[in-house]
Amino acid sequence: MKKRAIGVNGPLVSEIGLGCMGMSWLYGKAERSESITTIHEALEGGITLFDTGDLYGDGHNELLLREALQGTQRDNAFISVKFDGKFHSLEKNYVEFDSRPSTVKNFLKDTLQRLGVEYIDLYQPARVDPNIPIEETVGAISDLVKEGYVRHIGLSEVGVDNIRRAHAVHPISWLQIEYSLFNRGIESNILPTVRELGISLSAYGVLSRGLLSGNWTKERVIGSEDVRGKAPRFTSENIKKNLALVEALREIAEEKQATVAQMAIAWVLSQGEDVIPLIGARKRSQLHESLGAVNLKLSLNDLSRIEEAVPSELVSGEYYAKPRKKWFI
């Protein structure tokens, strides 16, 4: 597994990271032992970047990651954490939303306890609180950097204005945002901005919530606990059009003796050394398939054919019922 740097002269992490959210939240129940084994095998496969959040199952994901990383040398796991401005616990006794800078330290304290570590490698707000200037939030995290509890600061799902304002307060190491063949909206303004500022891109959703896995079918029944059942991109007419694009990608993948998922991940990897895709594998089989993408070399001709086969303007439907265009401001 090759390494990529986070930010300017930042730490080196595996060129693919493991996003752990789905092991605790949003896509239906995951099998705990399988999740832990998947994390173990990710380590064995050379992955050093693990992404979690206090909101993922109200702390469940952090506790799961703690259990999985037990016995692992701390420096061998780069842990990135998102916080959403709420106090979380499995007992559901947290208070209402409160993202004032004075409370950020308390959020981090709880996260450190759940993860069983003394510091977080990268800490970031899950979303920007419209009632709190980004300068105040980043300033509070900057204080935690000075105190040694946080090593690096990231942002998640923000637009150009907030990126620049935050970076002026403290160097931002990465921006975490959705980026895939089916989600290329960041290429016009956001991607050029982070590159100008020397900020890396942590790309999640590289398989577009499973659509680019190559295994999705229009007949698939989505469980009641799976939020994709409410996503316009997965509705009957849209899913047919989107799966047609997947089949066009499959033709190219088969020529390269690769799977659709590997092609989709390799495409993101090919967008630049400053782009680090997160894979949301919940099972060992998904992990092993995803890891195969690092050995898939795409030529300029391959990239051109892929983008012709999957034109971004032909992707049907948004993932969110209400498009979050504010992120691109």
Side-chain angles (χ1 to χ4, degrees):
M1 178 74 69
K2 295 181 180 178
K3 300 290 184 69
R4 293 189 172 184
I6 292 179
V8 177
N9 300 319
L12 295 175
V13 299
S14 53
E15 60 182 332
I16 286 180
L18 182 63
C20 300
M21 180 194 75
M23 297 176 178
S24 302
W25 197 48
L26 286 187
Y27 300 145
K29 187 176 181 180
E31 211 285 311
R32 185 179 187 85
S33 62
E34 178 68 16
S35 296
I36 291 174
T37 303
T38 299
I39 294 171
H40 289 167
E41 296 199 7
L43 285 164
E44 293 172 7
I47 288 180
T48 62
L49 168 59
F50 298 89
D51 186 76
T52 184
D54 62 9
L55 62 160
Y56 299 162
D58 286 316
H60 176 276
N61 204 238
E62 293 173 323
L63 292 168
L64 180 75
L65 190 58
R66 174 181 182 163
E67 182 177 351
L69 294 179
Q70 195 167 24
T72 300
Q73 187 174 339
R74 179 66 183 89
D75 291 342
N76 290 339
F78 185 98
I79 302 174
S80 64
V81 178
K82 287 180 286 296
F83 67 94
D84 72 344
K86 295 181 180 179
F87 290 97
H88 292 276
S89 77
L90 297 180
E91 288 74 33
K92 308 286 186 180
N93 60 354
Y94 49 78
V95 299
E96 292 300 317
F97 185 88
D98 181 1
S99 64
R100 292 172 299 163
S102 60
T103 65
V104 171
K105 182 176 291 188
N106 291 326
F107 300 149
L108 179 67
K109 180 180 177 181
D110 290 345
T111 279
L112 290 172
Q113 289 179 342
R114 284 189 291 263
L115 283 168
V117 297
E118 296 181 351
Y119 65 90
I120 299 301
D121 295 284
L122 185 143
Y123 202 49
Q124 61 190 11
R127 298 289 185 270
V128 172
D129 184 343
N131 301 312
I132 304 292
I134 190 65
E135 291 88 349
E136 293 186 21
T137 303
V138 172
I141 305 174
S142 179
D143 291 339
L144 294 170
V145 172
K146 295 172 184 175
E147 295 170 14
Y149 296 114
V150 172
R151 296 285 175 85
H152 306 278
I153 301 177
L155 294 175
S156 175
E157 300 288 9
V158 301
V160 169
D161 181 57
N162 278 314
I163 293 169
R164 292 189 180 280
R165 289 165 53 195
H167 195 66
V169 174
H170 187 281
I172 299 301
S173 294
W174 84 18
L175 169 69
Q176 189 167 100
I177 201 163
E178 189 164 4
Y179 187 42
S180 72
L181 276 166
F182 275 13
N183 291 82
R184 299 181 61 181
I186 68 169
E187 292 177 343
S188 59
N189 295 313
I190 290 179
L191 190 52
T193 298
V194 295
R195 285 181 165 157
E196 173 197 335
L197 299 175
I199 299 171
S200 296
L201 190 78
S202 170
Y204 79 87
V206 295
L207 296 184
S208 190
R209 323 294 177 126
L211 276 180
L212 286 166
S213 68
N215 300 318
W216 202 279
T217 67
K218 61 180 182 295
E219 293 82 16
R220 179 169 174 170
V221 177
I222 303 176
S224 60
E225 295 181 353
D226 191 328
V227 297
R228 289 172 292 191
K230 300 177 182 178
R233 185 166 291 178
F234 287 80
T235 58
S236 58
E237 290 305 312
N238 288 334
I239 196 70
K240 292 178 184 177
K241 295 176 182 178
N242 291 330
L243 289 178
L245 297 177
V246 172
E247 291 310 306
L249 181 61
R250 193 188 303 276
E251 292 184 17
I252 303 174
E254 289 177 349
E255 292 178 21
K256 302 285 288 186
Q257 296 184 317
T259 67
V260 171
Q262 288 169 343
M263 289 292 284
I265 296 168
W267 180 86
V268 177
L269 275 168
S270 299
Q271 299 310 301
E273 290 293 318
D274 55 352
V275 178
I276 304 169
L278 294 174
I279 56 173
R282 304 201 298 173
K283 299 178 180 179
R284 285 169 286 176
S285 58
Q286 296 169 330
L287 171 71
H288 296 156
E289 179 182 9
S290 297
L291 289 177
V294 303
N295 299 316
L296 185 58
K297 306 304 177 185
L298 301 180
S299 66
L300 291 177
N301 182 58
D302 290 331
L303 293 171
S304 178
R305 290 184 63 202
I306 290 169
E307 290 167 17
E308 288 177 5
V310 189
S312 57
E313 65 271 16
L314 293 187
V315 177
S316 298
E318 294 279 350
Y319 175 70
Y320 296 101
K322 294 182 179 180
R324 301 187 179 185
K325 293 181 179 179
K326 63 181 181 181
W327 293 342
F328 302 104
I329 296 174

